Amino acid sequence: MKGAWWVAVVVLGAAWAGDAIAQPTPHAKQVGVELDGLGDGGRARPFVDLAKTLRGWMKAQGEGDAPVDAKGWPTTDARTVLFDVRPAFAWAPPIDDPDAYQPDWGGSYPFTLQGRAEVAIAEGPGCRVEGVRYDAKTNATTGRIVVPKACGILVVSFTKTRRDPKASEGSGISGLRIIRPGYPADTKQVFTNEFLNSLRPFAALRYMDWLDTNHNPGFYGDTGHHALEWADRRPADYATQSGTPQGKYGVAWEYVAALANETGKDLWINVPVAATDGYVRELARFLKAELKPGLKLYIEHSNEVWNFGFPQYIYNKLAAIDEAKRGGSPLNADGSKDEEIWTHRRHAKRLVEIGKTFREVFGQDQADRIRPIYASWAISAEPHFADVLAWVKATYGEPRDHFFGLADASYYNVAKAAKDATPEQLVAAMRANSDENLANREKIRKIADRYRLQHCQYEIGPDVGGGDPTNVANRIRANRLPAMEPLLLHDAVDNWFDRGGGLYMYFAHISTASRYGCWGLSEDVDQLDTPKWRAIYKLTGTSKPAK
């Protein structure tokens, strides 16, 4: 390995504090991470209040979705999944993970809710509800849920509910708070200490999964449903911040801003494909008002708009066809008849428009904080990058006046490994694929250099996913090998930074291991000493945080 990362990694003692680092690494400001999506199965434990990631409400016996009010609280007796951190597929064996790893979420969870209810465990081996009492003066029910170490799922029911003393039985509840073990029942703290500690090595956080970008509502052409207005966003006081059957997608922007402010990390945000111009302007105004000065905004138009498997590709293509055929559009002003070319161009056009709006709102004196990123397909440099950038220049002027950088996602995968490859052979296959990616990376790098733009990775990391259960045990074991540390460093240092690469957004922070991938640096927020994490510490010149 030729990278000089180790020269800069000099730490004193085991403390986390910045003064433990004698010399900053050259890559400390260039490594970011994708936050794993929010939900009852998330392993990152971001919120102190467990209820912020509860699953959409079901009827009390689990026989379908429960009706909810405007803030997402049930208006009838109901149940919900508070967490399910079992290994996939414990609910329908066999389990993918040969070690059947499950994090320990045991402890005492104090809860409070507005209204009166009988609270019971609907599912949760060994769990129990204790100390339940109702205070008529405050119309609040309190108690605690005790969860044993071995429990991986917690489903709780709320029956004989009365929202207020005058309401009829079965009228539901509101204001549920369930505080994680180790925090005071009346705490106002939003994010857990362990979650915040795990983010310290990174310069930027990407919120694509937090914002549920790949599932944002809206199908172009469906009148009344294909435009996402600012008023449609999820509010911070909504019952849950995870996806719901009632159609709320993505975390509230208030929590995005709060996390950025608390950590001091730059933001990489994904503007929903269905967002209207009004939504974009209000989002810019909100972030200008809420974010601490100096935090930078890397702005992407949706996510992987080039990807035929995502609804945003279809949305963007239908919107491009509609615009071009209505006439007067720059998408086909040169006489182009190719709908795919219009589609590529609209993706860039929308980013130009979004970036312009943000710069107008933030003002010229803060324009350097706004960093639009044109992201597209790693293996298609000419049609998805070169041709589009040439069109941008002809239509809007120099791309550098509109974009900060270009980005692709050159995952290193195991596609060429044998179906029965050993964990060691799978790691070797990923290393070989990282080297093979250099050809496509170089093509995009040259385009970026031509237009004086940064070249970034919007997502990057080892890829053993795909959904096929074939050899899944070895695919998971490969990601736990010590050899993953030098593999990550080889891709990041030898094949990226040493060749002039810019921001490197690792995918992903914390997630479970299954046939669908082993994306996380670890499988639980308490696991911060895995081979992958050790690579991040060396790459960024940091050390494992103290608990």
Side-chain angles (χ1 to χ4, degrees):
M1 187 176 297
K2 65 183 179 182
W5 50 266
W6 58 272
V7 176
V9 184
V10 181
V11 294
L12 303 176
W16 170 268
D19 59 4
I21 303 169
Q23 180 179 341
T25 172
H27 311 306
K29 296 181 179 181
Q30 296 174 293
V31 179
V33 72
E34 172 76 41
L35 297 178
D36 193 41
L38 294 174
D40 59 89
R43 303 291 188 86
R45 302 205 296 264
F47 293 109
V48 172
D49 179 5
L50 177 65
K52 287 192 183 299
T53 53
L54 59 79
R55 192 180 299 182
W57 293 95
M58 300 170 285
K59 294 178 182 178
Q61 302 305 316
E63 69 277 25
D65 299 334
V68 298
D69 63 18
K71 291 298 179 66
W73 296 111
T75 55
T76 185
D77 289 356
R79 68 165 63 179
T80 185
V81 180
L82 293 173
F83 66 75
D84 186 351
V85 293
R86 295 173 294 174
F89 294 86
W91 49 92
I95 292 174
D96 282 356
D97 181 1
D99 301 319
Y101 174 76
Q102 177 179 291
D104 174 12
W105 280 30
S108 180
Y109 293 74
F111 70 82
T112 183
L113 61 89
Q114 285 298 296
R116 189 167 192 162
E118 290 190 0
V119 184
I121 304 298
E123 186 176 356
C127 296
R128 64 186 186 275
V129 180
E130 297 180 344
V132 178
R133 64 181 297 270
Y134 173 69
D135 186 333
K137 291 182 179 179
T138 60
N139 187 36
T141 299
T142 58
R144 60 185 174 275
I145 301 171
V146 180
V147 177
K149 179 178 181 179
C151 178
I153 183 170
L154 177 60
V155 185
V156 176
S157 66
F158 302 84
T159 58
K160 296 185 179 180
T161 57
R162 294 181 186 269
R163 283 209 165 201
D164 59 67
K166 295 181 180 180
S168 60
E169 187 173 291
S171 53
I173 63 167
S174 64
L176 176 66
R177 277 170 49 88
I178 304 178
I179 303 304
R180 293 183 185 274
Y183 296 88
D186 60 351
T187 184
K188 298 294 191 284
Q189 184 173 334
V190 176
F191 303 110
T192 65
N193 298 328
E194 53 268 37
F195 177 62
L196 295 173
N197 283 341
S198 71
L199 299 177
R200 293 194 178 190
F202 305 105
L205 307 178
R206 187 169 182 254
Y207 292 88
M208 184 273 292
D209 271 333
W210 259 42
L211 295 168
D212 217 359
T213 306
N214 296 331
H215 302 94
N216 216 284
F219 183 84
Y220 192 85
D222 183 5
T223 304
H225 297 281
H226 75 273
L228 185 64
E229 301 290 355
W230 183 244
D232 300 327
R233 73 194 186 283
R234 186 198 301 267
D237 60 352
Y238 200 75
T240 180
Q241 294 298 310
S242 63
T244 70
Q246 291 76 26
K248 291 292 184 182
Y249 292 86
V251 70
W253 285 104
E254 285 84 354
Y255 292 118
V256 173
L259 182 60
N261 288 338
E262 188 156 354
T263 60
K265 309 300 182 184
D266 292 335
L267 304 84
W268 185 308
I269 63 172
N270 300 73
V271 176
V273 71
T276 63
D277 290 341
Y279 181 109
V280 173
R281 187 165 296 276
E282 290 303 318
L283 174 59
R285 287 172 177 164
F286 173 82
L287 292 175
K288 181 184 180 183
E290 295 295 323
L291 290 177
K292 288 182 177 179
L295 290 177
K296 298 176 180 61
L297 279 160
Y298 297 90
I299 304 172
E300 196 178 346
H301 172 229
S302 189
N303 171 64
E304 296 196 355
V305 180
W306 57 266
N307 191 330
F308 315 119
F310 285 145
Q312 53 264 37
Y313 164 79
I314 298 296
Y315 184 103
N316 184 63
K317 182 168 185 174
L318 292 175
I321 293 170
D322 182 39
E323 179 181 331
K325 290 187 174 180
R326 280 190 279 111
S329 169
L331 299 179
N332 60 343
D334 60 354
S336 170
K337 306 292 186 183
D338 191 322
E339 293 179 350
E340 272 304 302
I341 289 177
W342 303 347
T343 302
H344 301 167
R345 290 174 175 179
R346 186 185 182 277
H347 176 41
K349 174 177 178 284
R350 195 70 187 121
L351 184 62
V352 168
E353 294 165 348
I354 292 167
K356 179 181 178 182
T357 297
F358 267 77
R359 283 189 291 270
E360 287 174 353
V361 169
F362 274 70
Q364 188 58 40
D365 61 327
Q366 298 186 60
D368 64 324
R369 296 177 63 188
I370 307 305
R371 301 186 168 189
I373 299 290
Y374 176 76
S376 201
W377 202 2
I379 65 172
S380 183
E382 287 302 311
H384 283 83
F385 287 97
D387 293 350
V388 173
L389 270 291
W391 175 81
V392 168
K393 180 175 181 178
T395 306
Y396 301 105
E398 288 295 338
R400 68 176 176 274
D401 294 333
H402 304 280
F403 302 156
F404 175 80
L406 307 182
D408 62 282
S410 301
Y411 285 103
Y412 32 105
N413 62 52
V414 295
K416 293 186 177 180
K419 296 295 184 182
D420 60 349
T422 65
E424 292 77 12
Q425 289 170 334
L426 290 166
V427 173
M430 286 188 276
R431 184 182 177 104
N433 187 240
S434 172
D435 294 340
E436 292 167 1
N437 287 338
L438 289 174
N440 285 323
R441 283 181 176 180
E442 184 60 26
K443 291 176 183 177
I444 298 170
R445 177 77 44 75
K446 288 180 178 178
I447 297 167
D449 290 346
R450 184 187 314 160
Y451 292 104
R452 294 165 56 191
L453 298 170
Q454 291 286 317
H455 183 201
C456 309
Q457 291 289 298
Y458 66 84
E459 293 173 12
I460 188 64
D463 177 8
V464 297
D468 185 350
T470 302
N471 205 29
V472 65
N474 281 347
R475 282 153 49 196
I476 291 173
R477 287 189 174 110
N479 276 267
R480 295 169 178 164
L481 288 178
M484 291 302 293
E485 179 182 341
L487 170 60
L488 266 65
L489 289 168
H490 175 64
D491 185 78
V493 180
D494 301 344
N495 289 349
W496 183 251
F497 290 122
D498 280 359
R499 298 172 185 270
L503 198 57
Y504 188 88
M505 303 297 293
Y506 188 86
F507 190 98
H509 178 227
I510 310 284
S511 63
T512 189
S514 75
R515 68 190 66 180
Y516 297 106
C518 303
W519 309 108
L521 289 165
S522 63
E523 298 159 57
D524 182 52
V525 74
D526 277 345
Q527 290 182 326
L528 299 180
D529 194 27
T530 66
K532 293 180 182 179
W533 271 112
R534 289 195 288 273
I536 292 296
Y537 301 143
K538 290 179 179 178
L539 191 59
T540 59
T542 54
S543 60
K544 177 185 175 183
K547 290 188 178 180

